[in-house]
Amino acid sequence: MLDNNDKSLMNVHPLNPTNQITKANSLIEGNYSMSLPESKIMEAVLSMLDENENKMNYIEIDTKELCSFVKVNLRELKEFTLEMVKKDIVFTGREPDGTEKLVQTTWLDSAVYYPSKGIVRLRVSEELAPYLLGLKHRRMPYTQFSVNELVSVTYYTKRIYELAVQYKKIGKRPEMSIEDFRQKLGIDEGKYALFAHLKSRVIDPSIKAIAENEQMPYLVTYELVKSGRAYKGIILYTKKKSVCMDSIESHSTANVSSEVDVKNLPLDKLREYLHGFGYEDNWQQSYDEDQLRFIADLLYKKINPIVLKNFLNNKGFEYVKKNNDIALQRMANGGKNYGAILFSALKGNYAGEAEEQKARQPKLNINGKTRTAEEVKAWIKKNEEAFAQEEKEKFNDVPQIITDIEITFLNKSISRKGDCSEPAAHRIYLRHKDSTVPKIREAIKLLDEGKEIPPNFFK
């Protein structure tokens, strides 16, 4: 029989990965450590809080649903929630009158299981209420995330993303000492004691995971600050992810004009601009001013900074420049997606193919036969036309499928609105709605009927 405190155990909260989580920035700045399952449980619970309440209420969740979400069994779930009742979080808060205070509390006040009902009742610590509830109506800086943003990656990746994205409006987080950075990630003093290990096992994999994760709308890069020969600090940069590489937004030749503002920036401002994409001082030293302006121009055109940096590091500046020339030629000949064309050119080294073709032509022209000037001219023209046709087919911009990331945006809009009216989804829908490709036509028909595109539809 339920006691008086349990009479309200009737409202089971459904898990919804699209729910929003609102956190005060001071809470994000806290020092704490959690396992990945504990972090997933906490984000799920926070997403169910009622923003309009001013005190913490109980959150009842179906244990099977929560176990499935966290990917643990019931015994493990009980162990994790017990740890969360005991696990501390320390952060700096403020009273309504502005008085600063150090808050030491736990994530959960309690976790109560009802085996016969298959329910767990969780209550977030009351001390956290001012930093999770009613933030939109008070003068307390906060950041919003979706559940999917924070649970689709490892714990360290999530924390680095949170620490960076709260500064998304200015694009740059002030320098943190390496020690402060470690504490905010909950990394014990003896773990990754060598900075090289911290960089290779935590920082670099996290930055890469954020760039590749479709659920995270922001790109995070970083710059390391040296003191002598040792690294003493880290600066995180945040930028809205470019969608041009995924063909979500259309591009016209106006988007690729070489006459852009970044080419006229003073050199110090140009370097600062490149900093915003995570291109550190020591990296920039490898390039002269003209080369830096060329790189800045590509970034201005919304080329993915991590992809671009990888090609520059692995293939060299001239490789990138020559293939960019090919991409610009294709745009001049009617191409519609500069980012996609450049990426294809870089990946396939189309500039190298074009040079090989040119190198073969003189040998073909000198064939040991007596030809008139007009015959040679006609032969060259014929082969140039054949080459142009081959290139046109190779760079054909007409989509043959709807990409996975486009399907994600479309299906989310169908799920939320029943149609493709959300801005990103609407742009994708318009891009494909007049396609003559049969499989795309089938997909458009499903969307018009308010149905989602099934997984592996284009496999």
Side-chain angles (χ1 to χ4, degrees):
M1 183 175 180
L2 300 179
D3 59 34
N4 289 335
N5 292 327
D6 296 330
K7 287 182 178 179
S8 63
L9 185 62
M10 307 296 287
N11 182 26
V12 178
H13 295 70
L15 280 168
N16 186 347
T18 63
N19 280 355
Q20 294 292 305
I21 301 169
T22 306
K23 298 182 183 181
N25 288 350
S26 55
L27 184 61
I28 294 174
E29 290 292 311
N31 295 342
Y32 58 89
S33 174
M34 300 177 82
S35 67
L36 182 58
E38 290 167 355
S39 177
K40 286 186 174 183
I41 294 169
M42 200 66 227
E43 304 304 349
V45 173
L46 296 185
S47 73
M48 299 176 187
L49 297 179
D50 187 342
E51 162 68 19
N52 298 315
E53 295 287 341
N54 54 20
K55 66 177 183 178
M56 287 298 177
N57 291 319
Y58 291 102
I59 300 294
E60 296 90 11
I61 310 176
D62 182 284
T63 52
K64 285 185 179 179
E65 190 175 4
L66 186 56
C67 284
S68 176
F69 180 76
V70 182
K71 293 182 172 54
V72 297
N73 58 41
L74 183 57
R75 178 186 59 78
E76 292 170 327
L77 181 66
K78 292 177 181 177
E79 292 174 356
F80 286 126
T81 53
L82 179 59
E83 282 298 310
M84 293 167 69
V85 172
K86 298 185 292 183
K87 190 158 284 187
D88 60 278
I89 172 173
V90 180
F91 64 96
T92 300
R94 290 188 182 276
E95 294 288 355
D97 63 1
T99 304
E100 186 174 284
K101 60 182 179 181
L102 181 69
V103 181
Q104 298 175 324
T105 186
T106 58
W107 283 104
L108 295 179
D109 276 344
S110 62
V112 182
Y113 287 82
Y114 296 87
S116 63
K117 293 181 175 288
I119 291 172
V120 59
R121 166 180 270 193
L122 303 170
R123 190 168 190 269
V124 179
S125 171
E126 188 64 37
E127 286 290 344
L128 298 180
Y131 308 96
L132 295 169
L133 303 177
L135 297 174
K136 297 178 182 178
H137 311 297
R138 290 185 279 126
R139 294 182 177 179
M140 184 177 292
Y142 65 88
T143 305
Q144 277 192 313
F145 309 89
S146 71
V147 181
N148 269 342
E149 273 182 88
L150 302 184
V151 302
S152 58
V153 289
T154 66
Y155 175 71
Y156 289 147
T157 302
K158 182 200 87 163
R159 285 294 288 142
I160 290 174
Y161 185 77
E162 284 184 316
L163 292 169
V165 169
Q166 63 173 313
Y167 287 88
K168 62 188 177 184
K169 288 186 178 179
I170 59 176
K172 175 182 177 181
R173 181 190 172 91
E175 179 185 340
M176 285 183 289
S177 70
I178 298 299
E179 184 57 34
D180 187 27
F181 178 72
R182 291 173 61 94
Q183 289 178 356
K184 292 188 187 307
L185 266 61
I187 299 176
D188 295 334
E189 188 174 341
K191 193 171 185 181
Y192 307 127
L194 292 176
F195 180 78
H197 291 168
L198 179 69
K199 182 177 183 296
S200 65
R201 299 176 188 177
V202 176
I203 302 175
D204 288 342
S206 295
I207 296 299
K208 184 174 185 290
I210 292 169
E212 295 175 349
N213 192 297
E214 296 177 0
Q215 305 295 340
M216 293 177 153
Y218 291 92
L219 187 73
V220 176
T221 54
Y222 70 95
E223 176 186 357
L224 298 176
V225 182
K226 271 189 172 181
S227 177
R229 298 180 63 183
Y231 291 107
K232 71 178 184 69
I234 183 170
I235 301 171
L236 298 176
Y237 296 92
T238 308
K239 185 177 184 292
K240 191 77 172 177
K241 281 184 180 176
S242 168
V243 294
C244 69
M245 302 297 284
D246 300 308
S247 304
I248 292 176
E249 291 183 353
S250 62
H251 293 258
S252 65
T253 52
N255 294 118
V256 299
S257 168
S258 61
E259 299 298 322
V260 293
D261 292 342
V262 291
K263 287 196 171 182
N264 298 315
L265 285 174
L267 184 57
D268 59 334
K269 295 295 184 183
L270 177 71
R271 293 187 182 280
E272 185 178 330
Y273 178 80
L274 291 170
H275 267 299
F277 295 90
Y279 288 23
E280 309 89 346
D281 279 338
N282 58 346
W283 188 90
Q284 293 186 34
Q285 295 304 319
S286 302
Y287 301 91
D288 61 32
E289 182 176 341
D290 289 340
Q291 291 173 328
L292 291 177
R293 293 192 183 280
F294 172 83
I295 294 167
D297 186 37
L298 292 183
L299 295 172
Y300 178 85
K301 295 167 184 172
K302 302 188 184 303
I303 299 305
N304 185 304
I306 291 181
V307 172
L308 176 59
K309 193 174 186 181
N310 285 340
F311 276 110
L312 287 167
N313 289 344
N314 298 325
K315 297 292 187 178
F317 179 84
E318 285 303 316
Y319 178 93
V320 172
K321 188 174 187 306
K322 288 179 180 179
N323 280 287
N324 182 63
D325 290 341
I326 293 289
L328 291 175
Q329 290 171 17
R330 301 317 307 165
M331 290 299 295
N333 291 333
K336 296 179 181 178
N337 192 324
Y338 170 63
I341 292 175
L342 177 57
F343 178 70
S344 296
L346 290 171
K347 189 175 180 181
N349 191 17
Y350 292 137
E353 289 187 9
E355 288 175 354
E356 288 179 10
Q357 179 73 13
K358 289 180 180 178
R360 287 196 298 267
Q361 285 182 1
K363 295 179 182 178
L364 293 171
N365 289 337
I366 304 172
N367 56 17
K369 294 183 179 180
T370 303
R371 293 177 180 270
T372 65
E374 290 299 317
E375 287 175 332
V376 172
K377 184 176 179 181
W379 186 92
I380 292 173
K381 182 178 179 181
K382 177 182 177 182
N383 280 273
E384 284 180 340
E385 289 174 349
F387 177 68
Q389 181 61 31
E390 179 182 315
E391 288 292 284
K392 182 176 180 180
E393 292 172 359
K394 183 182 296 181
F395 287 102
N396 192 347
D397 288 325
V398 177
Q400 300 300 307
I401 64 168
I402 302 178
T403 66
D404 289 343
I405 191 170
E406 290 178 319
I407 290 173
T408 299
F409 279 95
L410 291 167
N411 285 350
K412 281 186 178 179
S413 183
I414 292 292
S415 174
R416 294 170 181 162
K417 304 288 188 180
D419 55 29
C420 296
S421 60
E422 291 190 347
H426 188 60
R427 289 196 296 271
I428 297 167
Y429 177 83
L430 291 178
R431 173 177 167 76
H432 293 287
K433 75 179 185 70
D434 295 324
S435 173
T436 58
V437 177
K439 201 65 176 176
I440 294 181
R441 295 303 310 156
E442 290 180 37
I444 294 298
K445 183 178 179 182
L446 288 174
L447 296 172
D448 289 340
E449 294 172 354
K451 298 177 183 178
E452 297 183 8
I453 300 174
N456 302 320
F457 187 77
F458 287 94
K459 301 299 183 184

